[in-house]
Amino acid sequence: MNLSFGVKMLIFLSCFLFSVIVAIVAGLIMHKPNTPKGPAFLYGGCAFGATLPLCLGVLTSLGVL
Protein backbone atom coordinates (compact mmCIF):
# COMPACT_ATOMS: atom_id res chain seq x y z
CA MET A 1 0.00 0.00 0.00
CA ASN A 2 1.24 3.45 -0.80
CA LEU A 3 -0.17 5.62 1.98
CA SER A 4 0.82 9.18 2.71
CA PHE A 5 2.86 10.09 5.77
CA GLY A 6 -0.14 11.68 7.50
CA VAL A 7 -2.23 8.53 7.15
CA LYS A 8 0.63 6.41 8.47
CA MET A 9 0.93 8.71 11.48
CA LEU A 10 -2.81 8.38 12.16
CA ILE A 11 -2.50 4.59 12.00
CA PHE A 12 0.45 4.70 14.39
CA LEU A 13 -1.48 6.98 16.73
CA SER A 14 -4.43 4.58 16.74
CA CYS A 15 -2.08 1.68 17.56
CA PHE A 16 -0.54 3.76 20.36
CA LEU A 17 -3.92 4.65 21.85
CA PHE A 18 -5.12 1.05 21.58
CA SER A 19 -2.00 -0.04 23.47
CA VAL A 20 -2.65 2.58 26.15
CA ILE A 21 -6.21 1.31 26.59
CA VAL A 22 -4.95 -2.28 26.90
CA ALA A 23 -2.40 -1.12 29.49
CA ILE A 24 -5.04 0.71 31.53
CA VAL A 25 -7.35 -2.29 31.53
CA ALA A 26 -4.51 -4.64 32.48
CA GLY A 27 -3.46 -2.36 35.33
CA LEU A 28 -7.03 -2.12 36.60
CA ILE A 29 -7.44 -5.88 36.48
CA MET A 30 -4.14 -6.41 38.30
CA HIS A 31 -4.81 -3.88 41.08
CA LYS A 32 -6.50 -5.13 44.21
CA PRO A 33 -7.81 -2.93 47.02
CA ASN A 34 -5.51 -2.33 50.00
CA THR A 35 -2.36 -3.17 48.02
CA PRO A 36 0.34 -0.88 46.61
CA LYS A 37 -0.23 0.53 43.15
CA GLY A 38 3.34 -0.07 41.95
CA PRO A 39 2.89 -3.65 40.71
CA ALA A 40 -0.26 -2.64 38.83
CA PHE A 41 1.65 0.16 37.06
CA LEU A 42 4.42 -2.28 36.18
CA TYR A 43 1.91 -4.82 34.86
CA GLY A 44 0.21 -2.13 32.76
CA GLY A 45 3.57 -0.97 31.42
CA CYS A 46 4.47 -4.50 30.42
CA ALA A 47 1.11 -4.87 28.70
CA PHE A 48 1.74 -1.65 26.80
CA GLY A 49 5.24 -2.76 25.88
CA ALA A 50 3.90 -6.03 24.51
CA THR A 51 0.86 -4.65 22.69
CA LEU A 52 2.45 -1.79 20.73
CA PRO A 53 5.12 -3.87 18.92
CA LEU A 54 2.54 -6.57 18.27
CA CYS A 55 0.15 -4.09 16.60
CA LEU A 56 2.93 -2.44 14.63
CA GLY A 57 4.33 -5.81 13.57
CA VAL A 58 0.97 -6.97 12.28
CA LEU A 59 0.41 -3.76 10.34
CA THR A 60 3.92 -3.89 8.93
CA SER A 61 3.51 -7.46 7.79
CA LEU A 62 0.23 -6.50 6.09
CA GLY A 63 2.05 -3.73 4.26
CA VAL A 64 0.14 -0.86 5.82
CA LEU A 65 3.15 0.76 7.49
Side-chain angles (χ1 to χ4, degrees):
M1 252 182 230
N2 193 7
L3 299 174
S4 68
F5 181 71
V7 173
K8 287 182 181 182
M9 286 304 296
L10 286 174
I11 292 171
F12 174 77
L13 183 64
S14 65
C15 286
F16 182 82
L17 291 176
F18 176 73
S19 298
V20 168
I21 291 170
V22 168
I24 290 170
V25 170
L28 287 174
I29 290 172
M30 179 65 181
H31 181 65
K32 293 175 182 53
N34 300 326
T35 59
K37 292 179 180 64
F41 280 113
L42 183 63
Y43 197 77
C46 290
F48 175 81
T51 306
L52 185 62
L54 182 66
C55 290
L56 293 177
V58 167
L59 289 175
T60 302
S61 67
L62 290 174
V64 175
L65 293 179

